[in-house]
Amino acid sequence: MSGVATDMSAYWDRAGRVWVEQQALLDRLFQLIAQAVVDRADLRAGEAVLDVGCGSGATTFEAAWRVGPQGRAVGADISGALLELARRRAGEQGLEGVDFVQADAQTHDFGAGFDAIVSRFGVMFFPDPVAAFANLRRALKPDGRLAFACWRGPEDNPMAQVPLDAAAPFLPETPRFERNAPGRFGFADPERVRSILAEAGWRDIAIAPLDDPTPVSFDELMTMSLRVGPLNPILSKAEDALRTQVRDAVAAALAPHVQDGMAKMNSACWLVTARG
């Protein structure tokens, strides 16, 4: 397990720097999803909320506004780079009662004082998801609430799959989206999610589809495909000629999805709720 944890820490150290660079774009793309998660958590003034996989803090800030200055919002993430940005943004916004902790949510002792746990795309990466959700449940007060968004399958998110298919002819090995394993689409199967939560002791589990057809420019779509997506670590080490080939192929494959310079990059998710 320690080796897996080390791998995930190294991955998010690398990916976190890219997410810092693209923070404004990512926050805009997923703003409505963060709001939906916080809405479903039914946060109230004065409550304490934990944001798991908080990244640069967008969902933590949304939660902090709901619980108010008498409440407490804690963001937890494994990426030091993202947390550094989150702390800076919290200071710039003058938010009170907001804190951030660098922690592996699968094992970290958060205490037992939270009214709710929220997450926007931060819970699909646990090596042992049952252990992780059991640990998170211990952080809640009795009858505490859980609300998170996770991705549905790649077949429901074509903007994720199209760039990989376009790049495949030029790469010796193409990254694949795996199901039932730590990763973006690890929670694509709702019955797997339900089983994990039930085994970890959660109850009143509800899973509903959530779609956000966010419009993006062609340049933003290319950024998401080449800079933020799984092609990035491959292209960052590739020669210029290969990068050009892949970029041209991805651009050609995405072009049919663009009209008048804009595309709808649908984010097809599950919105999951439960009680501890």
Side-chain angles (χ1 to χ4, degrees):
M1 185 66 70
S2 60
V4 175
T6 301
D7 290 345
M8 291 304 291
S9 180
Y11 170 82
W12 282 110
D13 179 62
R14 187 171 59 248
R17 290 192 293 269
V18 175
W19 282 47
V20 165
E21 172 192 306
Q22 301 298 333
Q23 169 261 317
L25 173 58
L26 291 167
D27 282 356
R28 182 177 71 79
L29 288 180
F30 303 139
Q31 179 182 9
L32 293 181
I33 295 171
Q35 290 175 349
V37 168
V38 174
D39 284 345
R40 196 59 62 90
D42 192 25
L43 300 176
R44 301 149 201 169
E47 290 191 323
V49 57
L50 173 65
D51 178 17
V52 177
C54 67
S56 60
T59 309
T60 316
F61 302 148
E62 186 72 30
W65 288 114
R66 307 295 181 95
V67 300
Q70 302 305 315
R72 183 167 67 108
V74 177
D77 204 281
I78 202 170
S79 169
L82 283 166
L83 290 173
E84 181 181 354
L85 176 57
R87 293 186 181 106
R88 185 166 71 247
R89 295 175 70 198
E92 291 170 353
Q93 295 185 37
L95 286 170
E96 299 180 29
V98 177
D99 194 15
F100 293 95
V101 57
Q102 186 168 5
D104 181 347
Q106 180 170 307
T107 56
H108 185 77
D109 182 359
F110 292 103
F114 291 98
D115 298 282
I117 294 173
V118 298
S119 181
R120 184 202 72 182
F121 303 139
V123 296
M124 303 92 71
F125 303 92
F126 297 124
D128 186 340
V130 173
F133 279 101
N135 184 56
L136 292 173
R137 189 170 59 85
R138 287 190 287 271
L140 285 177
K141 297 176 182 177
D143 205 37
R145 310 179 304 277
L146 170 70
F148 67 84
C150 58
W151 294 100
R152 301 209 301 271
E155 67 278 2
D156 298 311
N157 291 276
M159 294 305 185
Q161 191 64 50
V162 167
L164 298 189
D165 293 341
F170 306 99
L171 303 177
E173 184 176 356
T174 309
R176 293 182 301 131
F177 291 123
E178 294 188 36
R179 299 172 185 267
N180 304 330
R184 176 174 178 177
F185 295 114
F187 279 10
D189 179 358
E191 292 311 311
R192 178 174 188 254
V193 176
R194 191 181 302 278
S195 175
I196 287 169
L197 292 175
E199 188 174 348
W202 296 86
R203 56 189 176 80
D204 297 341
I205 301 163
I207 303 175
L210 173 65
D211 289 88
D212 178 21
T214 305
V216 293
S217 70
F218 182 73
D219 287 344
E220 290 171 333
L221 193 55
M222 288 292 289
T223 296
M224 292 297 295
S225 301
L226 300 177
R227 185 65 182 147
V228 179
L231 290 174
N232 175 56
I234 298 173
L235 297 180
S236 64
K237 301 175 184 176
E239 296 181 356
D240 289 344
L242 177 58
R243 283 202 295 268
T244 298
Q245 285 180 311
V246 171
R247 187 181 302 112
D248 290 347
V250 170
L254 291 174
H257 298 274
V258 179
Q259 185 174 4
D260 298 327
M262 301 296 289
K264 288 185 177 180
M265 196 186 86
N266 186 50
S267 297
C269 318
W270 297 116
L271 185 56
V272 182
T273 57
R275 285 192 175 269

